[in-house]
Amino acid sequence: MSRNSLRQTLLSDTLDRLAEEPGLSVLLGIEAGALTDLPDLMAAALTACLPEGRARDWLRGTTAQLFRREAEVLDTALDDLLLTTARDDQPGGAPRVLLFANGYQALLSYRVSRALWLDGREDLALAVKSQFTRALSVEIWPQATIGRGVWFDHGLGLVIGQTSVIEEGVSLWHGVTLGSNFVDMGEGRHPRLRRDAVVGAGAKILGPVEVGAGATVAAGAIVTKDVPPGHVVTGPRGTDRGAGRFAGFVSLSELTGGAE
């Protein structure tokens, strides 16, 4: 279990926020009295983006059960939330990110579909993915591998292909595509983003290419070949501009006192 401070504060802080603004319960379909633990809270916040009805109620219950059964999945989701809160510099803190940040909710939806996929419930994982694709305007396949402490800023228009690999600390802006190139169509046909890489809005990374640790892909760049660690690439030809000067964002290990 991680040393994430949100384990002690998130539920009570979110309940306080719901109590301060009664309209939130109406708009989000979250009754504060029904939230007894963190799994309940995380499931309710995630499924609030879905239309009211049987499907939402069922998925909320299933998700809460998953978080109770799979402690590591809940730990990872809380680490994602801690990092997103720090990088968003959100004045409302973690409760506001949990309830309203599209990028975080997109990542959380992947954590759920991924856990179902690994549990052998592949059709259900794909159905859950499809629900959140429509609700959040993202396409994140549960077969993809995404490390903990990843940040999706905004999240809208994000597409992450089936064999993509995203390591810890990676940051992705809206409109990013991690896709195949229809030439190299083997098992590992999507990109691999190494630790702490940064990919700007609208960038397209295509094929089994590797973006090295700490590298930056600028907004709008199209990348079809490997990017060396620490380098910056820009433009429609993915031009390598050499080593960058970006020092990086705050890391998960810094936020958790070295427990990553």
Side-chain angles (χ1 to χ4, degrees):
M1 183 181 296
S2 73
R3 291 183 286 176
N4 190 318
S5 60
L6 294 179
R7 279 197 161 273
Q8 286 71 50
T9 63
L10 181 61
L11 180 59
S12 60
D13 288 350
T14 306
L15 291 176
D16 288 344
R17 189 165 295 278
L18 290 170
E20 290 170 5
E21 179 47 79
L24 293 181
S25 294
V26 178
L27 293 174
L28 300 177
I30 301 175
E31 294 294 338
L35 303 178
T36 61
D37 57 12
L38 279 175
D40 271 344
L41 172 62
M42 302 294 280
L46 174 60
T47 56
C49 67
L50 300 176
E52 291 185 46
R54 181 183 176 191
R56 183 172 76 173
D57 294 342
W58 182 88
L59 186 53
R60 175 174 169 174
T62 298
T63 301
Q65 291 173 9
L66 185 153
F67 284 134
R68 291 192 185 96
R69 185 177 68 250
E70 304 285 349
E72 181 66 17
V73 178
L74 179 59
D75 278 347
T76 300
L78 290 172
D79 282 349
D80 295 334
L81 180 57
L82 183 69
L83 190 82
T84 299
T85 302
R87 293 189 180 177
D88 279 359
D89 194 22
Q90 174 56 257
R96 189 172 285 177
V97 172
L98 175 64
L99 295 175
F100 307 124
N102 193 85
Y104 175 73
Q105 292 169 353
L107 182 56
L108 185 58
S109 74
Y110 160 80
R111 299 297 184 200
V112 172
S113 67
R114 174 67 170 174
L116 292 170
W117 183 272
L118 293 178
D119 195 37
R121 306 176 74 181
E122 295 182 359
D123 286 343
L124 182 58
L126 293 172
V128 168
K129 187 271 295 181
S130 296
Q131 289 288 315
F132 289 108
T133 292
R134 290 190 286 268
L136 298 171
S137 296
V138 298
E139 179 91 277
I140 308 174
W141 287 85
Q143 300 97 313
T145 301
I146 302 179
R148 66 201 302 149
V150 167
W151 181 37
F152 294 164
D153 193 26
H154 308 298
L156 292 166
L158 190 62
V159 176
I160 298 176
Q162 292 172 312
T163 67
S164 299
V165 176
I166 301 174
E167 292 187 347
E168 294 87 348
V170 168
S171 302
L172 302 178
W173 265 254
H174 57 284
V176 167
T177 297
L178 305 183
S180 61
N181 59 14
F182 292 102
V183 176
D184 303 295
M185 294 298 287
E187 188 168 330
R189 61 189 180 276
H190 294 96
R192 300 176 300 279
L193 308 186
R194 299 306 185 190
R195 193 182 187 98
D196 299 323
V198 176
V199 183
K204 315 300 179 189
I205 307 176
L206 305 175
V209 301
E210 179 168 309
V211 177
T216 299
V217 177
I222 299 176
V223 177
T224 58
K225 58 185 178 181
D226 291 351
V227 180
H231 280 219
V232 176
V233 296
T234 65
R237 296 182 181 273
T239 304
D240 190 336
R241 303 296 183 181
R245 294 180 292 176
F246 177 56
F249 295 106
V250 62
S251 68
L252 180 59
S253 61
E254 290 172 312
L255 294 170
T256 57
E260 187 171 342

